[in-house]
Amino acid sequence: MSAAPEHAPTMAQATLADRIGPYMPVLLVPLLALAGFLAIMNPASWLTLTVSGLAMGMMIFIMASGLTLVFGLMDVINFGHGAFVSVGAFVGITVLMALGQMTAAPSLLLNLGAVLLAVIGAILATGAMGWAFEKVIVAPVYGHHLKQILVTMGGLIVVEQLIIVLWGPEEIYFNRPEALKGAVTFAGAAIEKYRLVAVAVGLAVFAAMRWVLRRTKIGLIVRAGVENGEMVEALGYRLKLVFVGVFIAGSALAGLGGVMWALYQEVITAHMGNHAMILIFIVVIIGGLGSVEGCFIGALLVGLLQNYIAFIEPKAALISNIALMVTILMWRPMGMIPVVKAK
């Protein structure tokens, strides 16, 4: 009987690329900011563009975060998501214009109180609309992607026409609350006050969503439902009710994003949500299905890149986000931080 061959197990040391690979999506944001600084070579202009890009990214994240949860958990391709953005903007700005005395007062507390009331109105309206949208339009087409695209796109068109009936076909211009006008100067850069508010709100929404998904029972059910919905139902949880709750929450977030986006542009139109859907889908795709973190990073990349490119070469800004999406998908076809595989 021959002796067993000697076996000396060896452990291969991870390469640098393997070690930093999981952190690369997070590193892309500071790397892009550094590249922007090297390309602009003007600290004041770079700081202004960076804050503007972060503010834009935060607002896109708020609008897109609800869609990525619905897409990841419910496997629903909701092309009607832009309708909630438009309705949220119109309801919120209508409330804001009705509170003219509060918005015209040179008081930050009164101005923020008016904005808060506008946001609450938008969230309530779009949340209720999301509940009806899910029951009437989405529920009959679960599992049928082509039908989902058709019926949700039809729902978007219907909502846009209803907005025109209720508010008229013309663009509505308005002014931001008095305390949110103008800019502050820092290190020689002029930074708009509202953009600082938008950054703060976006960070707060991201922190709240991450806490709910990571630290609460409902968040655990949602994450488990994304991974294995059949097992969650087998454990006795009513996943369909979770679906409805996620859809309502996603619609309410779109309404919040609509108010923020309207205040950013200071004009609202019935088609504004439809136009924003291009950026929203780019962010959802490059971030990864169902990933709030990926959506957040993707939104920051889109906001920063568009502002830098628009400053350096305005004509290239139109294709910058498409080029970003193509580059990311060539690197990671499932998105930067995918939670679930495409179904």
Side-chain angles (χ1 to χ4, degrees):
M1 185 175 181
S2 60
E6 294 184 3
H7 177 64
T10 59
M11 297 183 64
Q13 186 175 4
T15 64
L16 178 62
D18 293 333
R19 290 198 295 269
I20 67 173
Y23 304 100
M24 274 305 297
V26 179
L27 294 175
L28 286 179
V29 176
L31 287 174
L32 178 58
L34 177 60
F37 180 79
L38 295 176
I40 295 168
M41 293 305 291
N42 185 319
S45 298
W46 174 81
L47 182 57
T48 300
L49 292 169
T50 299
V51 174
S52 178
L54 291 175
M56 180 179 177
M58 293 296 181
M59 288 180 282
I60 297 173
F61 163 72
I62 294 172
M63 292 185 286
S65 57
L67 181 61
T68 194
L69 282 179
V70 170
F71 206 173
L73 174 63
M74 303 170 66
D75 193 25
V76 171
I77 304 175
N78 182 17
F79 274 76
H81 192 74
F84 304 113
V85 175
S86 297
V87 170
F90 272 87
V91 172
I93 298 307
T94 299
V95 173
L96 204 61
M97 294 175 71
L99 301 173
Q101 292 184 343
M102 294 179 66
T103 59
S107 169
L108 180 61
L109 288 178
L110 286 177
N111 290 173
L112 292 179
V115 172
L116 179 61
L117 290 175
V119 166
I120 292 173
I123 287 176
L124 291 176
T126 52
M129 177 182 163
W131 175 81
F133 200 88
E134 193 275 339
K135 289 291 184 184
V136 177
I137 295 179
V138 176
V141 293
Y142 277 133
H144 304 281
H145 288 166
L146 180 58
K147 291 181 180 180
Q148 289 170 5
I149 294 172
L150 295 174
V151 299
T152 55
M153 183 65 75
L156 171 63
I157 295 172
V158 170
V159 172
E160 287 180 348
Q161 296 306 309
L162 289 174
I163 290 174
I164 292 173
V165 170
L166 294 174
W167 281 279
E170 302 297 328
E171 297 177 339
I172 299 177
Y173 293 87
F174 59 94
N175 294 318
R176 294 173 190 158
E178 198 66 30
L180 300 182
K181 294 179 181 178
V184 295
T185 303
F186 178 78
I191 302 172
E192 288 190 13
K193 297 176 183 178
Y194 177 71
R195 293 180 180 180
L196 294 174
V197 173
V199 171
V201 172
L203 288 173
V205 170
F206 173 67
M209 290 186 68
R210 185 174 173 81
W211 178 79
V212 170
L213 290 173
R214 300 285 178 180
R215 302 294 182 182
T216 65
K217 184 177 181 180
I218 186 64
L220 177 62
I221 295 172
V222 169
R223 288 188 288 117
V226 171
E227 186 66 30
N228 193 332
E230 293 180 356
M231 180 60 71
V232 173
E233 290 185 326
L235 292 173
Y237 294 103
R238 301 178 63 184
L239 197 57
K240 290 184 179 180
L241 287 180
V242 177
F243 282 2
V244 176
V246 168
F247 201 93
I248 292 173
S251 304
L253 284 169
L256 169 60
V259 177
M260 301 296 295
W261 193 250
L263 287 169
Y264 182 73
Q265 296 186 322
E266 295 186 283
V267 60
I268 53 176
T269 68
H271 306 290
M272 62 180 293
N274 193 13
H275 296 160
M277 284 301 293
I278 298 173
L279 294 176
I280 291 172
F281 269 112
I282 288 175
V283 166
V284 170
I285 290 169
I286 67 177
L289 295 179
S291 173
V292 173
E293 292 83 0
C295 180
F296 182 74
I297 296 171
L300 294 184
L301 291 175
V302 167
L304 289 172
L305 183 65
Q306 182 152 323
N307 278 268
Y308 291 152
I309 297 297
F311 179 81
I312 298 169
E313 183 53 57
K315 293 181 180 179
L318 296 174
I319 62 170
S320 62
N321 292 317
I322 300 298
L324 174 66
M325 182 176 68
V326 171
T327 303
I328 294 294
L329 293 182
M330 288 178 65
W331 171 44
R332 293 192 174 184
M334 298 296 295
M336 291 185 293
I337 311 177
V339 172
V340 290
K341 294 181 179 180
K343 300 175 182 178

